[in-house]
Amino acid sequence: CLDEEGKVHEFGSSWRTDNCNDCSCSRSGISCCTSYVTPVGYDKEKCESIFNKQTCSYKVVEKDDHSKECPVNSWVG
C-alpha cells in the first residue's frame, strides 16, 4: 500500500500517522480512522478542549485556569 505521504506499507501492517489516525494496509487498500475520542458533553462557556498531538488525546480544562480540568459527560470517536 502507498499512503498519502508516499510511504510504502506491507499487507497486514498497521501504523499511526502524524495526524493521529490509525491506519492498516490490506489487499483491498488502506483503511484509516481517528485514534482518539473528542469531548462533546462539557460546559463550553466555562471550559475548552485542547488537543495534545503527542499523546493523540484531548484534555478539557477551564478557560481561565488550564490547571483545572473540567468534567466531561460524553465523548465521540
Side-chain angles (χ1 to χ4, degrees), residues 33-54:
C33 62
T34 58
S35 63
Y36 55 89
V37 290
T38 303
V40 292
Y42 64 93
D43 184 345
K44 291 183 174 73
E45 288 183 28
K46 181 181 175 186
C47 306
E48 64 183 331
S49 64
I50 299 172
F51 189 72
N52 182 330
K53 200 168 181 179
Q54 274 142 3

Side-chain angles (χ1 to χ4, degrees), residues 14-29:
S14 59
W15 66 96
R16 180 167 283 175
T17 68
D18 291 339
N19 294 326
C20 297
N21 288 319
D22 286 335
C23 298
S24 61
C25 170
S26 69
R27 294 201 181 274
S28 60

